[in-house]
Amino acid sequence: MILTGLFEMMTRLARAPEDGGATFWMPTQSSTIAGEVDWLFNLILGISVFFFVLIVVVMLVFVVKYRRREGWETAPASPSHNTLLEVVWTGIPVAIVVVIFFFGFKSYLNISTPPANSYQIQVSGQKWNWDFTYPNGYVDQNLHVPADRPVELLMTSIDVIHSLYIPAFRVKMDVVPGRYSKAWFEATMPGEYNIFCAEYCGTGHSDMSAMVIVHPSGEFGPWLEKASNFLLTMTPVEGGRKLYEIRGCQQCHSVDGGARTGPTLFKLFGKDESLTDGSIVTVDENYIRESLLEPNAKVVAGFEAVMPTYQGRLKDDEIGALIAYIKSLDGKAALIEEPGSDRKTEEE
Amino acid sequence: MAEGHSAVVTPMSGGASGENYLTTGKGPLSWLFTLDHKRISVMYMVCILGSFLLGGVFALLIRTELWSPGATIMTADTYNKMFTLHGAVMIFLFIIPGIPAALGNFVLPLMLGAKDVALPRLNLLSFWCWLAGATVCLVSIVVGAVDTGWTFYTPYSTTTSTAVVSMTLGAFILGFSSIFTGLNFIVTIHTMRPEGMTWFKMPLFLWSLYSTAIIQVLATPVLGITLLLLIAERTLGVGIFDPALGGDPVLYQHFFWFYSHPAVYIMILPAMGIISELVSVFSGKRIFGYRMIAWCSIAIAVLSFLVWGHHLFTSGQSGLLNMIFSALTFTVAIPSAVKVFSWLATMYKGAISLAAPMLYVLSFLFLFAIGGLTGLFLGSLSTDIHLHDTYFVVAHFHYVMFGGTVIAFLGGIHYWWPKMFGRMYSEFWARISAALIFVGFNLTFFTQFVMGSHGMPRRYYNYLEVFKPYHQASTVGSYILGVAFMIMAYYLLHSLVRGEKAPENPWGGATLEWATASPPIATNFEHEMVGLDPYDIDSLRFDRETGNYVRKDPGSIFSKRTGDE
C-alpha cells in the first residue's frame, strides 16, 4: 500500500513537462501511460547507474591500491569467504528486483487493460502497410484519433507477424495472423507521431510506417465525417487516386512506369500482359476486378504471387473508382505525379 | 628449446624426447583423425575464429550500410540477408561452441590431470558434426542465403523464398555437435576427477563447463525438434506454425526460445568460469566465495530454463504468463550479481597484475555490468513493452554476448595461449588491442541504447533522419573494432613463429594445466596427478630468472600411487 501511494505520487511528479519534450533517453510523452513508464525507466536507470559506478569505482580503486609490485607476486592470505557479506550482497539485489518487478507489473496492468469506454479502431497489418478501419467502415492508411479519449486497437495481420509500435505513446503490440491482439492508449497532445513496424517482416519492413494524427477534442468527429464520404464528393478518378494512396496499392505499384514489387499501373489498361503460366491476358475492367479480389489467380510474368486479397475489403463503388483511376493513367494526362509523394519525402 | 628449458625449472615436465602434442604425428590426416582433445581443440579454435571473422565481416557490412538512411551500399533484400547471416554465423558457428569446444576441450582434461576426455571418439565426432553443419550453412549462404533473422520466426520463415531449409538443417546438425561436447564433459567430470579432487575442489571453470553442459544436453534437442517441424511445414505443408494451415505462429516462438534463452547461458556461463580463474590468478590470490560461485553456476543453469517467455512479452501471450515470466526473469539476475561481487572481493588486498588477460577481466566487469543492469529494463514489463525489438535490446545483448562472452573468450585465449602453443605474444600489442576493443565496442553499442530508447526499431534498413548521428557513431566504433581485431590476429600469428618460448606457468595459476610442459606432451602428464586446492596460489613461488612460477613443494602434485611403482 505504501508502495502504491509512493508510486502514484512519483508518477504525478514525473508527468511530462507541458511541452512533452524529449529527454536524453526518451522521446516525447504523448499518452497517459508514458509518464508512468518513464518514471519506472528513470528509477531503474538510477539504480543501474548507482551499481555501475559502485562496481567500476571499487574495481579501479583495487587496481591502483593493490597493484602488483616487485617481489610481491602473490598476495598474503585473506579470508576466502564471508557468510554475512555474501548474504547481504545477495539480499540487497533480491529486494531491489522485487521492487522493480512490482512497479513493472503494476504499470503493465494499466497498459494492457483498456478502459470500458474506449473508442475502437480495427487495425490490419500486411506487407508493408497498415489499414486502420473506423467504426463506420472508413479505412485510412494513417491512424487518426481524438485527443483525451481512450482508443482501443483491435489488430490482426493478413500475412506474417507485424508489431505496431508508437514510441511517443510507449505502446507496442504484435499483430499476428489468425488471431486478434489488443492495444490501447489515450493521447494527451494533438500532433503527429510515428508508427513503426517492430517485428521483422521482410523487404519493406523498415518502410512499414504510418503516422498517428491526434486531433484536438471536437475536431475528430468532423474529420471522420468528411474523410469517410470522399467518394461522394470526388470524381471517380480522384476517388480512385485517393484509394490508391490510402489502401496500400502504392507500396507495390507505381503510376510512372517504374518497377516495384508489382507491375506499374501506368498505361496498364488495355495492355496485353504475359502471365507466369505463359498465357496472355488483356487488361480490362474484369481483369482488374479479379486481380483485386483474387490477386494470385493470374500473376504477371516476372512478379511473385505476393499480393494480399482485397476480397471483402473493397466495396463495389471503390473497385469502380480504382478502375476509373487506372484507366486515367494512359499517359495522356498533362501531369503524371505520384500522389502522396510529399509524405514520403518528409519522412526521409 | 622450450621443453629443455622448463625441464631445468621443474623436473617433472616435458617429454625427454622434446616432443609435444603439436609435433607428435604429422600430416593433415593425423589432425583430422586425431583423438587428442588438444588437437581437436586447436582445430575447433581455427574454425571458430574463422567463423568469427566471417560474422565480423557481415557486421561491418551492416554498419556500413547503416551509415545513411535508405540505400548506402546494398539493397534492402541484401541487408536483410546480411543481418540474418551475421546473427546465425555468430551464434551457431562461433559463440555457442566458442568457449566450451575451443578452450574447454583443451583445458578440461588438463585441469583434471587426465590424459583426455572420457569419450575421445565422441569428441572427434562432435568436431565433424560442426564441420558438416558449418558446410551446410555455408552452402545455403552461397545458394541464396536466408532473410528471416537468425530466429526464423514463422510464418515469415515458412513463406519466404530464401534458403531456409538448408540453413535450419545446418543449425540442426550443429546442435548435435553441441550435445556431444556437453555429454562428453558431463561424463568426464563425473568419472575422471583425480585422487583428492572432490566436487568442491574443482576449478570454477569446470563448474561452469559442467553447468553449461547440462543446458547443452537438455535444451539443444528442443531446438532440433523445432527446426525439424519448421522444415516439415515448409517442405511437406504440415500445419504446425502457419495459421493458413491451421497452425500457431506463437507456438514457434515458445519452442524456439525454450532452447535459445538457455542458449544465452551456454554462451555466458563458461565466460564467467574463465573470469573466475583469471581474476584469482592475476590478483595473486584465492578466489573469494568459491562455493557461492559454484552454486550460482548451477542456479543459473536451472533458472535459464524458466525464463524464455520474456521474449514474448509483446506477442499477445496472456498477462498472467507475462507476470510469471517477468518475475522468474528477475531471479536470474541474482546469481550473476553475486558472481560480480565475488570477483571484486577477490581483487581486494590482492597483488593485481595488469597483464593482457587481466585487462580483459576488467573490461568484462565494466561491460558485463552494463549488459546485466540493462537487462533490468527489459525484465520489467512496462518498460519492456516500449523497448522490445528496438536497438536498446540489440545493445543489451551485445553488451552481454560481446562485452561478456567474447571479452572473456579473448581473455581466455590470451591466458592459455602460452600453454596451447608454447609461445608468448607481444604484451605491448595485446594491451593496445584490448584498449581499442574496449573503446570501439562502447562507441558501437552504447549509442544503440540511446537510439533504442528513443524508438529506433531493430532490423531496419531505412531509418528516420534523427537517428543518423547515432548510427554514424556506431559505425565508426565498429571500424575501430575491426582494426583492433586485425592487430590481434597479427600479433597472435606472429607469436607462433617469433614469440618467446613460454615457461610452464607464466601467470602463476595453481590449477593442474600449469603443472605440465608448454605445450603439453600428447599424453598431457608424465605422472598421475592429485587434485590439490586449485586456488592455493601460496603454494607457488615466482622464479625471476625463468619468469616461471614453481611449486614450493614440487612433489605434492604427484599421486603417491604412481610414485610407488
Side-chain angles (χ1 to χ4, degrees):
Chain A
M1 284 308 102
I2 298 167
L3 284 180
T4 317
L6 181 75
F7 179 70
E8 255 141 38
M9 193 182 80
M10 295 298 277
T11 307
R12 237 171 278 134
L13 284 177
R15 271 277 153 75
E18 280 310 301
D19 61 348
T23 63
F24 176 76
W25 285 105
M26 282 290 182
T28 53
Q29 297 179 349
S30 307
S31 72
T32 48
I33 53 117
E36 259 176 64
V37 174
D38 290 9
W39 175 81
L40 182 58
F41 183 94
N42 289 329
L43 176 75
I44 303 173
L45 186 65
I47 292 169
S48 299
V49 168
F50 172 79
F51 276 96
F52 173 70
V53 170
L54 181 76
I55 289 167
V56 171
V57 166
V58 167
M59 178 178 94
L60 292 178
V61 166
F62 287 176
V63 164
V64 173
K65 194 165 174 198
Y66 304 117
R67 68 187 175 278
R68 189 166 294 192
R69 296 174 175 92
E70 189 97 338
W72 196 39
E73 281 78 14
T74 57
S78 54
S80 66
H81 70 101
N82 180 326
T83 309
L84 179 65
L85 187 60
E86 289 172 65
V87 167
V88 168
W89 75 33
T90 309
I92 291 174
V94 168
I96 288 172
V97 297
V98 166
V99 171
I100 296 176
F101 164 76
F102 172 81
F103 287 135
F105 181 53
K106 187 171 183 305
S107 46
Y108 170 74
L109 285 180
N110 294 339
I111 292 176
S112 57
T113 316
N117 62 340
S118 299
Y119 180 77
Q120 201 178 57
I121 298 172
Q122 290 186 42
V123 180
S124 154
Q126 61 177 318
K127 293 177 185 174
W128 289 281
N129 69 292
W130 301 99
D131 277 347
F132 300 97
T133 308
Y134 292 83
N136 68 358
Y138 171 68
V139 181
D140 204 291
Q141 293 295 106
N142 289 313
L143 177 58
H144 292 261
V145 297
D148 304 321
R149 176 163 184 201
V151 172
E152 183 181 347
L153 305 175
L154 183 65
M155 309 191 288
T156 192
S157 166
I158 308 286
D159 38 44
V160 300
I161 300 177
H162 303 282
S163 187
L164 183 114
Y165 178 31
I166 310 171
F169 295 174
R170 316 291 188 265
V171 166
K172 183 181 292 118
M173 192 62 182
D174 285 8
V175 179
V176 183
R179 65 168 67 169
Y180 294 104
S181 52
K182 285 181 181 176
W184 83 276
F185 56 82
E186 183 179 331
T188 51
M189 287 193 309
E192 299 196 2
Y193 308 97
N194 287 298
I195 298 176
F196 296 122
C197 175
E199 186 65 65
Y200 172 70
C201 58
T203 313
H205 171 52
S206 63
D207 290 321
M208 188 169 162
S209 52
M211 301 304 284
V212 195
I213 294 140
V214 180
H215 295 268
S217 306
E219 289 177 26
F220 173 75
W223 168 84
L224 183 62
E225 180 73 27
K226 185 162 170 253
S228 309
N229 294 327
F230 67 88
L231 278 185
L232 298 179
T233 56
M234 289 176 175
T235 66
V237 173
E238 283 169 356
R241 174 172 157 161
K242 177 145 175 108
L243 285 167
Y244 165 82
E245 186 186 334
I246 67 169
R247 297 300 296 273
C249 316
Q250 69 175 2
Q251 301 288 336
C252 300
H253 300 280
S254 77
V255 289
D256 59 2
R260 289 185 191 167
T261 309
T264 182
L265 304 183
F266 183 60
K267 289 190 181 174
L268 179 67
F269 195 84
K271 191 175 164 190
D272 289 333
E273 288 275 33
S274 310
L275 303 183
T276 43
D277 63 2
S279 61
I280 291 178
V281 69
T282 302
V283 177
D284 58 9
E285 288 88 346
N286 280 321
Y287 176 71
I288 295 175
R289 185 183 173 86
E290 183 186 16
S291 295
L292 286 166
L293 301 181
E294 260 184 89
N296 300 329
K298 292 176 185 167
V299 178
V300 176
F303 294 91
E304 299 279 332
V306 293
M307 178 165 157
T309 178
Y310 280 79
Q311 183 83 52
R313 297 163 61 206
L314 284 175
K315 295 194 269 299
D316 272 354
D317 54 346
E318 291 173 321
I319 293 174
L322 277 169
I323 292 173
Y325 175 55
I326 292 171
K327 277 181 178 172
S328 76
L329 300 169
D330 54 6
K332 289 169 195 152
L335 186 64
I336 306 289
E337 58 159 302
E338 174 108 349
S341 56
D342 336 331
R343 189 176 69 86
K344 278 279 158 200
T345 39
E346 215 169 83
E347 272 170 41
E348 274 163 14
Chain B
M1 298 276 67
E3 292 72 27
H5 165 84
S6 44
V8 177
V9 179
T10 42
M12 65 284 190
S13 68
S17 56
E19 288 282 310
N20 63 50
Y21 80 99
L22 294 166
T23 54
T24 308
K26 299 239 177 333
L29 289 184
S30 79
W31 283 86
L32 269 179
F33 290 95
T34 184
L35 297 180
D36 183 347
H37 69 101
K38 299 182 289 302
R39 287 193 157 200
I40 292 171
S41 142
V42 170
M43 291 191 291
Y44 252 127
M45 175 98 90
V46 170
C47 294
I48 281 167
L49 291 179
S51 310
F52 184 54
L53 176 67
L54 181 66
V57 169
F58 289 136
L60 291 178
L61 289 169
I62 291 169
R63 286 304 335 155
T64 306
E65 167 53 39
L66 291 172
W67 182 259
S68 60
T72 309
I73 55 165
M74 59 180 82
T75 64
D77 286 332
T78 313
Y79 173 81
N80 291 343
K81 288 175 183 173
M82 283 296 143
F83 74 69
T84 302
L85 295 175
H86 167 70
V89 167
M90 284 299 196
I91 286 172
F92 294 119
L93 293 179
F94 167 64
I95 203 163
I96 285 183
I99 297 177
L103 291 176
N105 242 329
F106 193 95
V107 177
L108 179 133
L110 286 168
M111 279 185 162
L112 293 173
K115 184 172 175 265
D116 208 314
V117 290
L119 309 163
R121 284 180 180 79
L122 190 67
N123 202 16
L124 182 63
L125 182 60
S126 159
F127 176 66
W128 283 352
C129 278
W130 187 94
L131 276 187
T135 309
V136 174
C137 287
L138 290 179
V139 167
S140 88
I141 293 176
V142 174
V143 300
V146 274
D147 69 342
T148 58
W150 79 278
T151 49
F152 307 117
Y153 268 21
T154 57
Y156 187 81
S157 58
T158 51
T159 51
T160 177
S161 59
T162 54
V164 173
V165 170
S166 49
M167 185 53 108
T168 46
L169 194 62
F172 178 78
I173 300 170
L174 286 166
F176 280 94
S177 157
S178 184
I179 293 170
F180 292 157
T181 299
L183 190 61
N184 216 339
F185 286 2
I186 290 177
V187 176
T188 307
I189 289 175
H190 269 276
T191 60
M192 296 181 70
R193 278 173 289 125
E195 182 191 341
M197 190 185 281
T198 57
W199 280 90
F200 285 102
K201 279 192 179 168
M202 281 203 311
L204 286 166
F205 185 49
L206 297 188
W207 270 108
S208 74
L209 286 176
Y210 184 77
S211 335
T212 308
I214 294 172
I215 309 178
Q216 285 175 302
V217 170
L218 293 181
T220 317
V222 178
L223 177 74
I225 294 162
T226 308
L227 295 179
L228 276 190
L229 290 175
L230 184 67
I231 292 172
E233 180 162 296
R234 258 190 90 99
T235 54
L236 307 173
V238 185
I240 300 157
F241 305 125
D242 186 351
L245 301 168
D248 181 350
V250 181
L251 180 67
Y252 174 84
Q253 297 178 22
H254 279 285
F255 283 178
F256 181 82
W257 289 112
F258 186 83
Y259 164 75
S260 294
H261 197 82
V264 170
Y265 295 92
I266 294 179
M267 306 172 203
I268 195 67
L269 271 171
M272 292 168 155
I274 291 178
I275 298 302
S276 296
E277 299 301 325
L278 267 56
V279 78
S280 158
V281 170
F282 291 91
S283 299
K285 188 168 158 279
R286 171 180 301 279
I287 188 84
F288 185 92
Y290 172 96
R291 272 178 187 257
M292 202 63 165
I293 296 180
W295 282 117
C296 281
S297 291
I298 299 294
I300 291 174
V302 172
L303 293 174
S304 75
F305 282 96
L306 307 174
V307 301
W308 79 88
H310 68 222
H311 295 271
L312 283 81
F313 282 166
T314 67
S315 71
Q317 81 180 354
S318 76
L320 179 65
L321 276 184
N322 278 350
M323 181 195 81
I324 291 168
F325 279 118
S326 171
L328 288 170
T329 297
F330 280 117
T331 60
V332 192
I334 305 302
S336 305
V338 169
K339 284 190 176 195
V340 170
F341 297 142
S342 299
W343 294 324
L344 283 176
T346 303
M347 293 166 66
Y348 174 67
K349 287 195 172 171
I352 299 169
S353 150
L354 289 181
M358 188 61 176
L359 293 185
Y360 284 105
V361 172
L362 301 179
S363 201
F364 176 97
L365 288 172
F366 184 101
L367 302 174
F368 183 72
I370 296 179
L373 289 166
T374 49
L376 297 176
F377 296 85
L378 301 171
S380 149
L381 279 168
S382 63
T383 42
D384 180 74
I385 299 295
H386 175 59
L387 299 170
H388 202 90
D389 273 324
T390 67
Y391 266 67
F392 193 93
V393 176
V394 177
H396 160 72
F397 70 70
H398 278 93
Y399 265 85
V400 178
M401 300 289 86
F402 192 139
T405 307
V406 177
I407 293 291
F409 183 48
L410 296 175
I413 288 177
H414 285 79
Y415 177 62
W416 282 300
W417 188 265
K419 181 56 62 184
M420 294 180 89
F421 302 108
R423 304 280 186 160
M424 301 302 285
Y425 46 81
S426 157
E427 180 67 24
F428 173 78
W429 285 110
R431 289 178 183 197
I432 297 284
S433 137
L436 280 177
I437 287 174
F438 181 77
V439 172
F441 175 83
N442 280 301
L443 185 57
T444 309
F445 292 106
F446 198 82
T447 45
Q448 298 188 3
F449 280 124
V450 186
M451 263 195 269
S453 65
H454 274 280
M456 167 81 207
R458 66 191 288 203
R459 295 173 169 175
Y460 260 33
Y461 169 74
N462 194 6
Y463 55 83
L464 298 185
E465 196 69 34
V466 293
F467 294 118
K468 197 170 170 184
Y470 300 109
H471 273 298
Q472 294 194 341
S474 182
T475 301
V476 170
S478 72
Y479 294 160
I480 297 175
L481 277 174
V483 170
F485 278 108
M486 279 195 283
I487 295 174
M488 185 185 296
Y490 175 75
Y491 72 73
L492 284 182
L493 291 173
H494 184 263
S495 80
L496 292 179
V497 193
R498 293 280 162 80
E500 219 175 293
K501 307 279 183 196
E504 273 176 20
N505 191 356
W507 313 119
T511 42
L512 289 178
E513 78 272 28
W514 302 106
T516 186
S518 303
I521 55 172
T523 50
N524 290 351
F525 299 94
E526 297 197 321
H527 298 81
E528 194 178 327
M529 312 299 278
V530 289
L532 296 176
D533 182 341
Y535 298 105
D536 187 11
I537 304 216
D538 263 349
S539 66
L540 304 169
R541 174 178 61 77
F542 185 60
D543 184 74
R544 201 163 308 281
E545 278 169 41
T546 51
N548 193 23
Y549 284 81
V550 291
R551 275 191 193 270
K552 291 171 181 167
D553 176 7
S556 62
I557 47 171
F558 303 128
S559 168
K560 296 292 174 288
R561 290 190 303 217
T562 37
D564 296 336
E565 279 166 18

Short mmCIF file of all heavy atoms in Angstrom, two decimals, chain B residues 122-143:
data_model
loop_
_atom_site.label_atom_id
_atom_site.label_comp_id
_atom_site.label_asym_id
_atom_site.label_seq_id
_atom_site.Cartn_x
_atom_site.Cartn_y
_atom_site.Cartn_z
N LEU B 122 33.81 -39.61 -29.40
CA LEU B 122 32.64 -38.73 -29.43
C LEU B 122 33.09 -37.28 -29.62
O LEU B 122 32.42 -36.49 -30.28
CB LEU B 122 31.85 -38.88 -28.14
CG LEU B 122 30.48 -38.20 -28.12
CD1 LEU B 122 29.54 -38.90 -29.08
CD2 LEU B 122 29.89 -38.22 -26.72
N ASN B 123 34.23 -36.97 -29.04
CA ASN B 123 34.78 -35.62 -29.16
C ASN B 123 35.10 -35.31 -30.62
O ASN B 123 34.76 -34.24 -31.14
CB ASN B 123 36.04 -35.52 -28.30
CG ASN B 123 36.39 -34.10 -27.92
OD1 ASN B 123 35.54 -33.21 -28.03
ND2 ASN B 123 37.62 -33.87 -27.48
N LEU B 124 35.72 -36.27 -31.29
CA LEU B 124 36.06 -36.08 -32.70
C LEU B 124 34.77 -35.99 -33.53
O LEU B 124 34.64 -35.16 -34.44
CB LEU B 124 36.94 -37.23 -33.19
CG LEU B 124 37.40 -37.11 -34.65
CD1 LEU B 124 38.28 -35.89 -34.84
CD2 LEU B 124 38.17 -38.37 -35.08
N LEU B 125 33.79 -36.82 -33.19
CA LEU B 125 32.51 -36.79 -33.90
C LEU B 125 31.85 -35.42 -33.75
O LEU B 125 31.27 -34.89 -34.69
CB LEU B 125 31.59 -37.89 -33.36
CG LEU B 125 30.22 -38.02 -34.05
CD1 LEU B 125 30.40 -38.32 -35.53
CD2 LEU B 125 29.40 -39.13 -33.39
N SER B 126 31.98 -34.85 -32.55
CA SER B 126 31.44 -33.51 -32.32
C SER B 126 32.06 -32.52 -33.28
O SER B 126 31.37 -31.69 -33.89
CB SER B 126 31.70 -33.10 -30.86
OG SER B 126 31.62 -31.70 -30.73
N PHE B 127 33.37 -32.60 -33.46
CA PHE B 127 34.04 -31.67 -34.37
C PHE B 127 33.57 -31.90 -35.81
O PHE B 127 33.30 -30.96 -36.54
CB PHE B 127 35.56 -31.81 -34.28
CG PHE B 127 36.29 -30.95 -35.26
CD1 PHE B 127 36.25 -29.56 -35.15
CD2 PHE B 127 36.98 -31.50 -36.33
CE1 PHE B 127 36.90 -28.75 -36.07
CE2 PHE B 127 37.63 -30.70 -37.25
CZ PHE B 127 37.59 -29.32 -37.12
N TRP B 128 33.46 -33.17 -36.19
CA TRP B 128 32.99 -33.46 -37.55
C TRP B 128 31.56 -32.94 -37.78
O TRP B 128 31.23 -32.44 -38.85
CB TRP B 128 33.07 -34.96 -37.83
CG TRP B 128 34.47 -35.44 -38.12
CD1 TRP B 128 35.58 -34.67 -38.29
CD2 TRP B 128 34.89 -36.79 -38.26
NE1 TRP B 128 36.67 -35.45 -38.53
CE2 TRP B 128 36.28 -36.78 -38.53
CE3 TRP B 128 34.25 -38.03 -38.19
CZ2 TRP B 128 37.03 -37.94 -38.73
CZ3 TRP B 128 34.99 -39.18 -38.39
CH2 TRP B 128 36.37 -39.13 -38.65
N CYS B 129 30.72 -33.10 -36.75
CA CYS B 129 29.36 -32.56 -36.86
C CYS B 129 29.41 -31.06 -37.08
O CYS B 129 28.64 -30.50 -37.87
CB CYS B 129 28.55 -32.84 -35.59
SG CYS B 129 27.86 -34.48 -35.53
N TRP B 130 30.32 -30.41 -36.36
CA TRP B 130 30.45 -28.97 -36.52
C TRP B 130 30.81 -28.66 -37.98
O TRP B 130 30.22 -27.79 -38.61
CB TRP B 130 31.51 -28.39 -35.58
CG TRP B 130 31.54 -26.90 -35.59
CD1 TRP B 130 30.89 -26.06 -34.73
CD2 TRP B 130 32.24 -26.06 -36.52
NE1 TRP B 130 31.13 -24.75 -35.08
CE2 TRP B 130 31.95 -24.72 -36.16
CE3 TRP B 130 33.06 -26.30 -37.62
CZ2 TRP B 130 32.46 -23.62 -36.86
CZ3 TRP B 130 33.57 -25.21 -38.33
CH2 TRP B 130 33.27 -23.89 -37.95
N LEU B 131 31.82 -29.42 -38.50
CA LEU B 131 32.26 -29.19 -39.88
C LEU B 131 31.11 -29.41 -40.87
O LEU B 131 30.88 -28.60 -41.77
CB LEU B 131 33.40 -30.15 -40.24
CG LEU B 131 34.82 -29.77 -39.85
CD1 LEU B 131 35.79 -30.78 -40.46
CD2 LEU B 131 35.17 -28.36 -40.31
N ALA B 132 30.36 -30.50 -40.66
CA ALA B 132 29.26 -30.81 -41.57
C ALA B 132 28.20 -29.72 -41.49
O ALA B 132 27.73 -29.22 -42.53
CB ALA B 132 28.66 -32.17 -41.21
N GLY B 133 27.82 -29.35 -40.27
CA GLY B 133 26.80 -28.31 -40.09
C GLY B 133 27.24 -26.99 -40.69
O GLY B 133 26.47 -26.31 -41.39
N ALA B 134 28.51 -26.64 -40.46
CA ALA B 134 29.02 -25.38 -40.99
C ALA B 134 29.03 -25.41 -42.51
O ALA B 134 28.69 -24.41 -43.17
CB ALA B 134 30.43 -25.13 -40.46
N THR B 135 29.38 -26.57 -43.08
CA THR B 135 29.40 -26.68 -44.54
C THR B 135 27.99 -26.47 -45.10
O THR B 135 27.80 -25.72 -46.07
CB THR B 135 29.93 -28.07 -44.96
OG1 THR B 135 31.17 -28.28 -44.27
CG2 THR B 135 30.15 -28.13 -46.45
N VAL B 136 27.00 -27.13 -44.48
CA VAL B 136 25.62 -26.96 -44.96
C VAL B 136 25.20 -25.49 -44.86
O VAL B 136 24.60 -24.93 -45.79
CB VAL B 136 24.65 -27.86 -44.16
CG1 VAL B 136 23.21 -27.58 -44.54
CG2 VAL B 136 24.97 -29.32 -44.39
N CYS B 137 25.56 -24.82 -43.77
CA CYS B 137 25.22 -23.39 -43.61
C CYS B 137 25.90 -22.56 -44.70
O CYS B 137 25.25 -21.70 -45.30
CB CYS B 137 25.67 -22.87 -42.25
SG CYS B 137 24.67 -23.47 -40.89
N LEU B 138 27.18 -22.83 -44.94
CA LEU B 138 27.90 -22.04 -45.95
C LEU B 138 27.30 -22.28 -47.34
O LEU B 138 27.13 -21.34 -48.11
CB LEU B 138 29.39 -22.39 -45.94
CG LEU B 138 30.15 -21.92 -44.71
CD1 LEU B 138 31.62 -22.33 -44.79
CD2 LEU B 138 30.04 -20.40 -44.54
N VAL B 139 26.97 -23.54 -47.63
CA VAL B 139 26.34 -23.82 -48.93
C VAL B 139 25.03 -23.05 -49.04
O VAL B 139 24.75 -22.43 -50.07
CB VAL B 139 26.10 -25.35 -49.08
CG1 VAL B 139 25.17 -25.63 -50.26
CG2 VAL B 139 27.43 -26.06 -49.28
N SER B 140 24.25 -23.02 -47.97
CA SER B 140 22.97 -22.30 -48.04
C SER B 140 23.19 -20.81 -48.25
O SER B 140 22.39 -20.15 -48.89
CB SER B 140 22.15 -22.56 -46.77
OG SER B 140 22.47 -21.61 -45.78
N ILE B 141 24.31 -20.29 -47.74
CA ILE B 141 24.61 -18.87 -47.97
C ILE B 141 24.91 -18.66 -49.45
O ILE B 141 24.44 -17.72 -50.08
CB ILE B 141 25.82 -18.41 -47.12
CG1 ILE B 141 25.44 -18.43 -45.64
CG2 ILE B 141 26.26 -17.01 -47.52
CD1 ILE B 141 26.59 -18.10 -44.70
N VAL B 142 25.68 -19.60 -50.02
CA VAL B 142 26.07 -19.45 -51.41
C VAL B 142 24.87 -19.59 -52.34
O VAL B 142 24.72 -18.84 -53.31
CB VAL B 142 27.18 -20.48 -51.76
CG1 VAL B 142 27.49 -20.44 -53.24
CG2 VAL B 142 28.43 -20.19 -50.94
N VAL B 143 23.98 -20.56 -52.05
CA VAL B 143 22.86 -20.78 -52.97
C VAL B 143 21.72 -19.77 -52.79
O VAL B 143 20.71 -19.87 -53.46
CB VAL B 143 22.26 -22.20 -52.85
CG1 VAL B 143 23.32 -23.23 -53.16
CG2 VAL B 143 21.66 -22.42 -51.47
#
